[in-house]
Amino acid sequence: MPRRIVSAVQHIGHRVIESIWRLGYASRFFILVLLKSGTSLRRFGLVMRELYFTGVLSLIIIVVSGLFVGMVLGLQGYETLQKYGSESAVGTLVALSLVRELGPVVAALLFASRAGSAITAEIGLMKATEQLAAMGMMAVDPVARVVAPRFWAGVISMPFLAAIFSVMGVFGGYLVTVVFIGVDEGSFWSQMQSAVDFRFDILNGFIKSCFFGVAVTAIAVFEGYDAPPTAEGVSGATTRTVVTSSLVILGLDFILTAFMFRGVS
Amino acid sequence: MQRTTMDLWVGLFVITGIIALMILSLKVGNLNVYNPSQSYVITGNFENIGGLKVRAPVKSAGVVVGRVTDIQFSTQTYDAVVTMNMDSRFPFPKDTFASILTAGLLGEQYIGLAAGGDEVMLKNGDKIMKTNSAMVLEELIGRFLFNKAAEDDSF
Amino acid sequence: MPPEVLIEVNDLSFSYDTRPILKGIDMSMRRGQVVAIMGGSGSGKTTLLRLISGAIQPTSGHVKFAGEVVHELNRDALFRLRRKMGMLFQFGALFTDLSVFDNVAFQMREHTNLPESMIRDLVLMKLHAVGLRGAHQLMPNALSGGMARRVALARSIALDPMLIMYDEPFTGLDPISLSVIGNLIRRLTDALGMTSIVVTHDVQESLKIVDYVYFIADGVIAAQGTPKEVRESVAPFVHQFVHGEEDGPVPFHYPAQTYQEDLKLEDTFA
């Protein structure tokens, strides 16, 4: 029995060492990507192509989800607020929850599962089919040519996607409460406008989405580049991208929120 | 996919994103570009600010004319020093009366300004002399009960 | 006078962790030669290619390419050197997100400032050389295995390298594609005056096209010679390999304890 306990403890220790090692390895890779970003910035066409795949192709899911999230928020908010006779504050509720939290967070979660997994799978497959090795043999650095453009495209897309998500959400809330239920349009907007502050709400939401963009794409490109060059390896890496980035998004959100809104309001 | 169509889509995407950010700032956040040169700062001492917070609006006749930028506690006078950033389009006389009011029964608190009749206007860095503290519910109830008791005595 | 020596491999050893893969390899390859490196699976052939291209560092010994010691070069110099090398990967390793044309044009666009019109002409010439000029608009996923490898061949000769390495170019091809690739290797080597190293275990096809053969077994050169010498060789290893015999110096059985011990047979039964 004691041997079993020892081996269980050993197992835990092994896992901890492994994860710390991996974290360090990922950080080194992240810095490497940043150092080798010169090519993508000089040849912006490379980033443009990836912007299409990460940004434009994620639009549909972002727009539709944003609309529905906003509509649900509007409906639920109205149900609750009308009990206190303050249904005109529903605009404030929808806008604040979207701009501060739901916009950046849900958009980032969707982005991780839509674009992040695609990035991992693509880089992982390029590695498995020796395309990255072939590139290295042609004296072209795969990190500069393949990884960095995808990274920057993700970083650029994320804030835009989050903003589009929030706007669609506000529109969805407006649609349900003002157009369908009949809340007064003037007070919907004016209450929202007096409650939402540019610096504390919108700018902070924007900053959050920038952080999420960096985190999600960094995880996605690392998992792809690090994936074992087999079919199971790539599929495992894709799953890890989605799981890890979702956890990182939520954890990071808490940390950022604590920093941003501490002492304010 | 043709290169040019891809560029077109990416262009559209970026423009949509920027428009979304602008809608958020202007329509949802009601961003007023506060230019420091177009505003002036005044302070006021309040005995009790209740639930007043930084960023609360300063209103006169219901119109927002400025915002609270800072709230400090003064150890000289043992009251609250509230700093307000005022829109320079709206100058106020020196004997303006500032009181802390509540929007509705449970709404947020703001500073209401009632203009006086002085010829001299408030300048940058000036102090409002006439202030009225926030209503504190306990005090109100206390005063009401005291008056009630006095009324009963008179019978 | 024989043509100059392009690649010199001197007493090259490589260990993976503590497991030796290559133990003191000596080779030399001249310009215009097609050299085959043969050996069983896992005998370190691919490792040898990776050492020549500078992708990994040898444990001892060195590889000289055009007079330069490969593993002593810094990163930039190594990348400059690699522009003089081409490599054909086992399954072509075409960039799946680029068309056939863009695949062949890839290196020209990355490493030269040629105008697009000239790149177009060059790409069509390279594709013509492998007989696929008509396929330049296709995407790699629309190509058969043999065609993909021909495109990859066109891509690796894009910048007229001095050396092309082929990692198992014959694997998984039908007989027609197989001889097409074989003949292309020979023809392009002669036409461009370069050197080709073919790593393979397809004995019959490669003996038809190569000038010299090295056999690698257990990390050392077990035999070498011209195709004629190899065919007539009586050395047991070469004979087994060339004729594909099941048992011989390369045993059928993986090293194990005796059969009896494994089956836990009692001595009385033995």
Side-chain angles (χ1 to χ4, degrees):
Chain A
M1 213 43 173
R3 173 170 294 179
R4 223 151 154 198
I5 295 169
V6 168
S7 88
V9 173
Q10 269 176 346
H11 183 70
I12 294 172
H14 179 76
R15 287 292 289 270
V16 168
I17 291 171
E18 189 90 322
S19 5
I20 292 176
W21 183 85
R22 219 175 133 72
L23 192 67
Y25 183 53
S27 319
R28 268 179 53 187
F29 181 73
F30 178 60
I31 291 166
L32 194 72
V33 171
L34 291 185
L35 288 179
K36 291 184 176 176
S37 295
T39 319
S40 0
L41 301 179
R42 247 176 289 123
R43 291 171 54 189
F44 205 71
L46 292 175
V47 182
M48 283 291 261
R49 199 185 153 276
E50 301 310 325
L51 269 175
Y52 177 81
F53 286 108
T54 50
V56 177
L57 295 186
S58 307
L59 262 182
I60 297 277
I61 188 171
I62 290 287
V63 165
V64 174
S65 325
L67 199 64
F68 279 115
V69 166
M71 283 161 75
V72 169
L73 274 177
L75 210 55
Q76 292 281 15
Y78 177 81
E79 285 299 315
T80 310
L81 287 171
Q82 63 141 7
K83 286 182 193 155
Y84 306 100
S86 48
E87 62 266 19
S88 58
V90 73
T92 312
L93 178 104
V94 170
L96 274 187
S97 34
L98 275 168
V99 169
R100 281 189 182 177
E101 291 295 337
L102 291 178
V105 171
V106 178
L109 290 175
L110 292 172
F111 181 76
S113 35
R114 171 68 185 78
S117 59
I119 290 174
T120 305
E122 199 186 6
I123 295 180
L125 271 178
M126 287 184 84
K127 186 183 178 191
T129 53
E130 295 185 305
Q131 293 179 48
L132 296 185
M135 211 172 262
M137 271 308 300
M138 293 183 212
V140 176
D141 191 330
V143 174
R145 182 64 172 67
V146 172
V147 175
R150 281 166 176 76
F151 173 74
W152 286 109
V155 171
I156 294 170
S157 314
M158 191 64 251
F160 288 146
L161 290 172
I164 292 169
F165 186 93
S166 295
V167 168
M168 288 315 292
V170 170
F171 178 68
Y174 167 83
L175 216 58
V176 164
T177 55
V178 176
V179 178
F180 295 160
I181 298 178
V183 173
D184 179 56
E185 178 163 4
S187 56
F188 178 88
W189 289 116
S190 66
Q191 289 231 6
M192 180 193 296
Q193 287 167 355
S194 65
V196 178
D197 182 77
F198 175 73
R199 202 172 96 65
F200 285 89
D201 298 320
I202 291 171
L203 203 61
N204 278 349
F206 180 78
I207 292 169
K208 267 187 188 178
S209 60
C210 293
F211 270 95
F212 295 159
V214 173
V216 172
T217 29
I219 290 169
V221 292
F222 171 71
E223 288 291 357
Y225 198 80
D226 186 54
T230 58
E232 307 89 71
V234 175
S235 78
T238 313
T239 312
R240 267 204 308 282
T241 294
V242 177
V243 173
T244 318
S245 10
S246 306
L247 291 177
V248 168
I249 289 164
L250 296 171
L252 205 57
D253 182 50
F254 173 72
I255 295 170
L256 289 173
T257 311
F259 268 105
M260 287 169 174
F261 296 101
R262 192 188 49 187
V264 182
S265 74
Chain B
M1 163 109 20
Q2 204 69 43
R3 185 60 191 271
T4 44
T5 28
M6 204 180 264
D7 287 355
L8 181 72
W9 274 107
V10 172
L12 281 176
F13 166 64
V14 171
I15 291 169
T16 319
I18 290 172
I19 290 175
L21 279 174
M22 279 166 59
I23 292 177
L24 280 187
S25 322
L26 299 175
K27 181 82 181 169
V28 177
N30 196 23
L31 172 70
N32 295 318
V33 187
Y34 273 120
N35 200 328
S37 67
Q38 287 179 324
S39 65
Y40 60 102
V41 176
I42 55 174
T43 57
N45 288 37
F46 293 85
E47 245 174 62
N48 191 331
I49 59 163
L52 188 74
K53 303 220 168 63
V54 173
R55 290 195 292 130
V58 179
K59 293 181 182 179
S60 187
V63 179
V64 177
V65 294
R67 274 191 194 278
V68 173
T69 52
D70 191 31
I71 298 173
Q72 292 291 334
F73 182 70
S74 161
T75 47
Q76 274 139 35
T77 48
Y78 291 100
D79 57 9
V81 182
V82 176
T83 311
M84 289 160 264
N85 205 354
M86 306 289 294
D87 193 322
S88 57
R89 284 176 300 168
F90 310 118
F92 279 85
K94 201 125 194 169
D95 59 346
T96 293
F97 201 90
S99 33
I100 295 175
L101 304 171
T102 309
L105 192 58
L106 300 167
E108 64 165 350
Q109 291 190 300
Y110 64 96
I111 294 185
L113 296 182
D118 204 317
E119 302 276 292
V120 189
M121 294 293 168
L122 284 166
K123 292 192 306 294
N124 194 24
D126 275 359
K127 191 175 199 175
I128 293 181
M129 303 312 292
K130 297 159 96 177
T131 60
N132 195 2
S133 291
M135 286 193 306
V136 177
L137 207 56
E138 291 90 328
E139 281 180 16
L140 274 181
I141 294 168
R143 212 178 299 160
F144 173 76
L145 289 176
F146 186 77
N147 290 347
K148 200 80 182 158
E151 273 173 34
D152 288 346
D153 281 352
S154 66
F155 276 106
Chain C
M1 188 189 103
E4 58 175 304
V5 173
L6 183 69
I7 297 170
E8 238 186 281
V9 178
N10 246 327
D11 191 28
L12 191 71
S13 300
F14 179 79
S15 308
Y16 191 77
D17 287 334
T18 52
R19 196 160 54 91
I21 309 280
L22 297 176
K23 297 176 274 197
I25 301 270
D26 287 293
M27 289 177 172
S28 78
M29 296 152 194
R30 298 173 183 284
R31 299 201 67 161
Q33 268 189 325
V34 179
V35 178
I37 298 175
M38 294 191 201
S41 313
S43 59
K45 297 170 308 213
T46 308
T47 309
L48 188 60
L49 289 192
R50 285 163 63 80
L51 282 165
I52 293 174
S53 63
I56 48 177
Q57 297 274 319
T59 317
S60 69
H62 67 259
V63 176
K64 248 188 191 169
F65 178 86
E68 291 179 285
V69 178
V70 173
H71 71 266
E72 287 173 1
L73 298 173
N74 64 22
R75 229 184 90 85
D76 290 342
L78 182 65
F79 266 27
R80 263 201 306 283
L81 188 77
R82 282 196 191 164
R83 295 190 199 177
K84 300 177 197 158
M85 299 180 180
M87 180 140 174
L88 188 70
F89 284 85
Q90 195 164 356
F91 295 105
L94 291 178
F95 302 132
T96 38
D97 53 344
L98 300 178
S99 70
V100 166
F101 183 95
D102 292 332
N103 260 288
V104 180
F106 183 79
Q107 267 183 298
M108 303 179 192
R109 288 183 179 146
E110 293 288 331
H111 293 315
T112 67
N113 290 319
L114 295 176
E116 198 57 27
S117 62
M118 191 180 282
I119 288 182
R120 192 187 139 78
D121 294 347
L122 282 171
V123 169
L124 291 181
M125 277 160 64
K126 304 289 176 192
L127 280 172
H128 186 76
V130 298
L132 289 174
R133 186 164 39 84
H136 71 95
Q137 278 178 324
L138 297 181
M139 291 305 281
N141 54 21
L143 300 176
S144 71
M147 280 161 82
R149 240 165 279 185
R150 278 150 75 187
V151 173
L153 190 53
R155 184 178 68 176
S156 51
I157 59 170
L159 291 184
D160 297 326
M162 297 162 79
L163 165 73
I164 297 193
M165 291 171 273
Y166 306 80
D167 190 4
E168 315 269 8
F170 304 120
T171 312
L173 291 183
D174 62 83
I176 303 173
S177 309
L178 200 137
S179 61
V180 167
I181 296 282
N183 290 331
L184 269 176
I185 292 173
R186 181 75 252 179
R187 263 217 317 276
L188 289 172
T189 308
D190 293 342
L192 300 173
M194 55 188 193
T195 306
S196 290
I197 305 177
V198 184
V199 161
T200 180
H201 32 230
D202 193 305
V203 183
Q204 300 313 326
E205 185 58 35
S206 46
L207 284 184
K208 278 191 246 165
I209 58 162
V210 301
D211 299 308
Y212 206 80
V213 183
Y214 289 97
F215 283 97
I216 296 185
D218 297 326
V220 294
I221 294 180
Q224 52 179 297
T226 60
K228 190 164 178 299
E229 290 166 2
V230 166
R231 277 204 194 90
E232 290 161 2
S233 170
V234 288
F237 171 78
V238 178
H239 192 266
Q240 184 197 0
F241 201 92
V242 171
H243 298 280
E245 287 161 354
E246 189 183 5
D247 213 350
V250 179
F252 170 71
H253 288 292
Y254 191 82
Q257 48 188 340
T258 65
Y259 203 23
Q260 293 162 358
E261 283 172 32
D262 254 0
L263 296 184
K264 300 210 172 74
L265 293 178
E266 298 292 332
D267 283 337
T268 48
F269 286 101

